[in-house]
Amino acid sequence: MPPEHSAAPPTAQPASEPSSPPGPQTGSAPATGSTSGRAPATDPATGQARGQAPASGRRSRLLRRKPVERLIAEGGQGEGGALRRSLSMWQLTTISIGATLGTGIFVVLGEATPLAGPAVAISFVLAGLTALFSALSYAELAGSIPVSGSSYSYAYATMGELVAWICGWCLVLEYGISVAAVAVGWGQYLDELLAGTIGVTIPAAVSAPLGEGGFVNLPALAVILLAMVFLMGGAKESARINTTMVVIKIVTLLLFCGIGFFGIQAGNYAPLAPLGATGVSAAAATLFFSYIGFDAASTAGEEAKNPKRDLPRAIMLSLLIVTVLYCLVALVAVGAMPWQDFEGTDAALAQIMKDVTGIGLWSVVLAAGAVVAIASVVFAVLYGQTRILFAMSRDGLVPQVFAKVNQRTGTPRANTLLVSAFCGTLAATVPLGELANATSIGTLFAFALVNVAVIVLRRTRPTMNRTFRVALFPLTPLLGFGFCAWMMVSLPAVTWAVFGAWMTVGLACYFLYGIRHSRLTARLGADEAVAERANGERSG
């Protein structure tokens, strides 16, 4: 959540761009240029090879790439206003930590431990390793293409509009639905907190969706609406809230480790993997959901002070901090409580604190920390979703309302309102388990495309200036792609069925709306008209 913004610095656009780059309304392309000073193999205005006539037909439209120079030149530009740059490297890091740290430990740990047993810490390592390979690819692309669209924009620059749309649709699944899933878990800890402080619990009828003993999950809806209010109310306030919540959640988890250590029993670690490697793999696929926030920094590319330098650093630093804390807490948790007791427990850490100390106060303290921690995940991920839709709207692939920027706050307020309404509806009506699995597969698919995008951009733009380069190329992105594919295969068939239905709806939306309103497609049509007129003049 960006702090109070200042005007974008001159370095926000490439040196080769004109002083007044075209906004999203103009349909014109920026001047030809390259960040390396050498002529690119393709024309930045069209994305075609130099000297080649524009291709025709639907296939060319689907594969048409948006040039990197144009993506950067349009950075921050919205309908009626512009985003403002003011985020430092530390603020970008806290956005990623805020979007990541909390869910996997406070909520999904109760689902993953029955699958892996005491080896759930190994599952966290596997999920973190998968995230690391993709994080390296994200870091390179974020430093090269510092825009708000995250992997959607990276795919647009390397693999074309159709793949970009598919990636963007997966990001809606990753960000938008994960907000709902996290909000559902927040309600569990709020109930624990209320029971420990004032002795009341929220009735099941209004704290659980249909299928889980209730009718609607009002606490989950409430936390999303609260995050919406903060995001719409002002950038400066949003930044302060996010930083405060990140500090509280880290302190809470360290407190749990300090107290839970005294409850560890060596016998709880045996057998280490009661369900074998299959269980460890399945748990890792579920826990990968816990790492999706590290890429949140890339959604702030158009609001960072120095995105080319700070985005790669923020991504890697946040992933390191989160992985260490996850593994440490998991080791303490399974050592202090038998792994079989995690079944059906959404507030496992609070229960462990109570069992170890015999004092209800500590479980209340942990529940309070969890309420803050999970709320910060909702807050940060909701922010990321609005910025991704902002980029897609600027390209014309989703309605223009998502790109409207409030001039007073410098934020997309209408976008935030609509996204919050969508996520709130899901959180109030859909069970957590299905939401978490659906988010995992959407995330893995998007991450796989990012690894491919690094390889493609290295081949098509080898001389492009890169502030961060993936080591051991192309082995690292290939491993990242392979790990993502492996995790996807580990997910259950019902998750694949949900994903298939989601992608079918997404493709229908693209062919019914996106391709008809695409600004790049409009540019393509203009290029084809010019080429046809030129051919007519020559033949005449």
Side-chain angles (χ1 to χ4, degrees), residues 16 32 44 53 70 80 85 123 128 134 163 165 182 192 237 239 305 314 372 401 437 463 528:
S16 58
T32 301
R70 185 172 179 83
R85 295 188 181 272
S123 298
S134 296
V163 177
W165 168 266
V182 173
E192 183 81 14
E237 293 76 8
K305 292 179 180 178
V372 173
V401 65
N437 287 336
T463 60
E528 290 176 345

Side-chain angles (χ1 to χ4, degrees), residues 243-277:
T243 301
T244 300
M245 289 193 294
V246 167
V247 171
I248 290 175
K249 74 165 76 177
I250 291 176
V251 171
T252 300
L253 289 174
L254 292 177
L255 176 65
F256 167 81
C257 291
I259 295 177
F261 176 80
F262 294 99
I264 291 178
Q265 299 180 25
N268 287 339
Y269 292 114
L272 181 63
L275 301 180

Side-chain angles (χ1 to χ4, degrees), residues 156-190:
Y156 214 160
T158 57
M159 290 174 278
E161 184 171 284
L162 178 60
V163 177
W165 168 266
I166 292 173
C167 189
W169 194 245
C170 286
L171 291 176
V172 173
L173 188 65
E174 172 188 347
Y175 278 83
I177 295 186
S178 70
V179 169
V182 173
V184 171
W186 182 83
Q188 300 287 342
Y189 274 96
L190 177 64

Side-chain angles (χ1 to χ4, degrees), residues 1 95-104 106 175 178-179 181-183 186 223 227 242 245-246 249 289-290 292-293 326 370-384:
M1 296 49 45
I95 287 176
S96 287
I97 295 175
T100 309
L101 185 60
T103 310
F106 288 109
Y175 278 83
S178 70
V179 169
V182 173
W186 182 83
V223 70
N242 180 63
M245 289 193 294
V246 167
K249 74 165 76 177
F289 165 79
S290 310
I292 67 169
Y326 276 166
V371 166
V372 173
I374 299 174
S376 74
V377 177
V378 173
F379 195 61
V381 176
L382 190 65
Y383 164 82

